[in-house]
């Protein structure tokens, strides 16, 4: 007999003994009460022979009832406990082996609303979430590999070309610039990955203060002045004064820098970039608009996902992490961001934040 069967038989024996002791106690108590009441009411004298016979019959009944309860409990456990447990264990093993497509089928039994059905429901939800996470992880690795491979290939190729003898100064400068640009792109990618990782793992905790949002927006926009002047962009601003917000100033600067960077990048020569800030009820409403290429509805649905780029050729500079950073920051500070766009006409990103106390006085929250 295997060790598992021995344990099963010992467990069944323990249950039988437990039922036997329980039945013996309950029936004995009931019999004593009954006999005492019978003698007190009728005055019948119970002889030793009659009591001995009744005890033997009672003992046999206790044995039978204990066995019957044990069998019923065993059947109940097999269909209502062991079967769903086996299904859950089997599915858990498949999850452990990396098969996130497994689902526990609907549990059928006497109890239509059992705790096992609730467990199975939550298990299926967990498996679905893990499946989505695994897909994201796979996509993340594939995208990181692609994004790392491109600048590394550029650095390797131009580095090899720089080693050619008799290279002209003009070509040397051109190749060196290509290596530098690829290095910066690689550095930017790694920096954004680290920032996003810290944000998603909540290793960056907001340092909340009340400050003037209009001043921050203007400062961030002015940091791109050299770029917009080269592209001869028309800049329009409509910034309402004394609009304060209660948030992490450094985190929000990531949002504005990314939005302005994208607006400048995707707006063609001689285009227009617009910035708007106004109060709307208890919120501050920021809109960054451009007259660039715009995005399609399909791209708009995925634009805040990590590494997603509307330009599938990756011809446009960028690594698809900027707007993912923006979305994560908005989740942390409790704000909201949305985009409206038309292909060929431009895009408008709208950010909504809860306003802080009026006056612009910095108040740090512990």
């Amino acid at each position: 007999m295997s060790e598992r069967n021995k344990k099963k038989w010992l467990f069944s024996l323990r249950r039988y003994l437990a039922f036997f002791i329980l039945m013996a106690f309950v029936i004995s108590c009931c019999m004593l009460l009954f006999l005492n009441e019978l003698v007190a009411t009728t005055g019948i004298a119970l002889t030793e022979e009659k009591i001995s016979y009744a005890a033997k019959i009672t003992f046999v009944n206790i044995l039978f009832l204990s066995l019957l309860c044990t069998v019923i409990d065993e059947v109940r456990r097999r269909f209502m406990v062991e079967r769903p447990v086996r299904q859950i264990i089997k599915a858990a093993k498949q999850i452990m082996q990396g098969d996130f497509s497994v689902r526990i089928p609907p549990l059928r039994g006497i109890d239509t609303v059992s705790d096992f059905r609730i467990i199975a429901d939550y298990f299926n939800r967990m498996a679905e979430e893990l499946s989505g996470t695994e897909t994201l992880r796979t996509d993340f690795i594939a995208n990181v590999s692609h994004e790392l491979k491109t600048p590394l290939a550029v650095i390797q190729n131009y580095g090899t070309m720089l080693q050619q003898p008799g290279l002209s100064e003009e070509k040397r400068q051109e190749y060196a610039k290509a290596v530098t640009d690829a290095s910066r792109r690689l550095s930017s990618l790694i920096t954004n990955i680290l920032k996003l990782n810290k944000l998603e793992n909540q290793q960056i905790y907001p340092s909340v203060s009340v400050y003037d949002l209009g001043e921050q927006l203007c400062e961030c926009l002015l940091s791109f002045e050299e770029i917009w002047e080269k592209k001869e962009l028309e800049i329009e601003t409509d910034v309402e004064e004394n609009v304060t917000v209660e948030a992490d100033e450094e985190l929000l600067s990531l949002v504005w820098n990314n939005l302005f960077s994208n607006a400048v990048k995707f707006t063609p020569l001689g285009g227009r970039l617009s910035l708007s800030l106004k109060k709307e009820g208890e919120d501050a409403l920021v809109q960054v608009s451009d007259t660039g290429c715009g995005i399609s509805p399909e791209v708009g649905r995925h634009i805040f996902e990590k590494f997603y780029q509307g330009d599938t050729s990756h011809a446009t500079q960028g690594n698809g992490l900027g707007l993912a950073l923006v979305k994560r920051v908005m989740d942390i500070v409790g704000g909201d961001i949305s985009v409206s766009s038309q292909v060929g006409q431009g895009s408008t990103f709208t950010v909504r934040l809860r306003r802080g106390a009026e006056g612009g006085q910095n108040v740090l929250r512990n």
Side-chain angles (χ1 to χ4, degrees):
M1 184 180 293
S2 65
E3 188 67 25
R4 183 177 178 181
N5 287 333
K6 286 181 181 179
K7 290 182 179 180
K8 187 174 181 180
W9 278 106
L10 287 174
F11 181 69
S12 299
L13 181 60
R14 283 199 299 269
R15 278 191 291 133
Y16 174 77
L17 291 175
F19 279 121
F20 176 77
I21 293 171
L22 179 63
M23 290 290 181
F25 176 76
V26 172
I27 293 176
S28 297
C29 290
C30 292
M31 287 297 296
L32 288 173
L33 290 173
F34 173 74
L35 292 175
N36 287 335
E37 187 66 25
L38 181 65
V39 171
T41 304
T42 63
I44 297 176
L46 297 176
T47 63
E48 183 178 347
E49 182 182 353
K50 291 180 179 180
I51 294 175
S52 176
Y53 177 76
K56 292 176 182 177
I57 295 296
T58 303
F59 180 75
V60 173
N61 286 334
I62 291 174
L63 288 175
F64 173 74
L65 290 174
S66 300
L67 180 62
L68 180 63
C69 290
T70 304
V71 172
I72 293 174
D73 184 63
E74 178 67 27
V75 173
R76 181 194 65 83
R77 288 180 60 84
R78 180 155 299 183
F79 286 96
M80 299 180 63
V81 178
E82 291 183 4
R83 186 168 64 177
V85 166
R86 282 197 302 269
Q87 289 179 292
I88 295 172
I89 290 174
K90 181 182 177 182
K93 286 181 178 178
Q94 290 179 260
I95 290 285
M96 291 168 61
Q97 293 170 358
D99 181 9
F100 299 111
S101 63
V102 63
R103 297 293 183 272
I104 299 176
L107 301 175
R108 297 174 182 174
I110 300 174
D111 189 0
T112 56
V113 189
S114 67
D115 290 339
F116 284 113
R117 294 195 176 193
I118 298 174
I119 293 172
D121 182 51
Y122 276 94
F123 185 95
N124 289 337
R125 294 185 192 178
M126 179 195 70
E128 187 174 350
E129 290 294 328
L130 287 173
S131 178
T133 303
E134 178 64 15
T135 301
L136 287 176
R137 186 187 69 85
T138 304
D139 291 345
F140 181 84
I141 293 174
N143 286 318
V144 166
S145 300
H146 175 86
E147 295 295 339
L148 288 174
K149 187 185 300 182
T150 303
L152 285 174
V154 171
I155 293 171
Q156 183 179 3
N157 292 336
Y158 280 98
T160 302
M161 294 169 69
L162 280 170
Q163 297 175 16
Q164 295 177 359
L167 194 65
S168 67
E169 181 64 20
E170 182 182 354
K171 287 294 183 182
R172 189 182 66 79
Q173 291 286 348
E174 179 186 343
Y175 297 161
K177 183 179 182 301
V179 170
T180 302
D181 290 344
S183 300
R184 286 174 179 168
R185 181 178 176 184
L186 187 60
S187 175
S188 174
L189 170 64
I190 294 172
T191 300
N192 283 337
I193 289 175
L194 292 175
K195 284 180 181 178
L196 189 58
N197 181 63
K198 287 183 178 180
L199 289 172
E200 289 187 336
N201 291 311
Q202 201 61 51
Q203 294 176 8
I204 295 179
Y205 298 95
S207 177
V208 179
S209 63
V210 178
Y211 66 93
D212 192 306
L213 181 59
E215 290 183 5
Q216 184 188 37
L217 286 168
C218 291
E219 288 175 3
C220 290
L221 181 59
L222 285 172
S223 66
F224 293 89
E225 183 176 7
E226 182 180 352
I227 305 174
W228 87 54
E229 285 184 348
K230 285 182 179 180
K231 299 186 72 171
E232 300 177 0
L233 301 184
E234 178 186 351
I235 306 298
E236 293 182 354
T237 59
D238 181 14
V239 179
E240 188 173 338
E241 295 183 354
N242 298 323
V243 179
T244 59
V245 292
E246 189 173 8
D248 188 309
E249 189 171 358
E250 184 177 353
L251 282 180
L252 280 183
S253 68
L254 288 173
V255 174
W256 315 133
N257 286 331
N258 272 288
L259 294 182
F260 292 145
S261 175
N262 285 340
V264 172
K265 184 195 316 180
F266 292 107
T267 302
L269 189 70
R272 185 176 65 255
L273 188 155
S274 303
L275 168 64
S276 168
L277 169 64
K278 61 182 180 181
K279 300 174 184 176
E280 190 173 275
E282 296 182 352
D283 297 333
L285 199 68
V286 180
Q287 289 187 317
V288 178
S289 304
D290 62 66
T291 56
C293 56
I295 55 177
S296 66
E298 175 63 25
V299 173
R301 283 193 289 269
H302 302 281
I303 200 168
F304 295 108
E305 296 176 6
K306 288 181 290 187
F307 289 105
Y308 186 84
Q309 291 181 317
D311 178 13
T312 56
S313 68
H314 296 262
T316 306
Q317 290 185 354
N319 48 53
L321 284 176
L323 290 177
L325 279 170
V326 168
K327 183 65 172 68
R328 184 59 185 140
V329 169
M330 297 310 298
D331 291 340
I332 290 175
V333 301
D336 181 68
I337 183 169
S338 59
V339 60
S340 60
S341 181
Q342 290 186 2
V343 177
Q345 296 187 23
S347 305
T348 297
F349 286 85
T350 302
V351 175
R352 187 179 296 272
L353 295 165
R354 181 59 62 101
R355 290 195 292 120
E358 299 293 339
Q361 182 181 4
N362 284 348
V363 180
L364 292 180
R365 180 184 295 172
N366 293 327

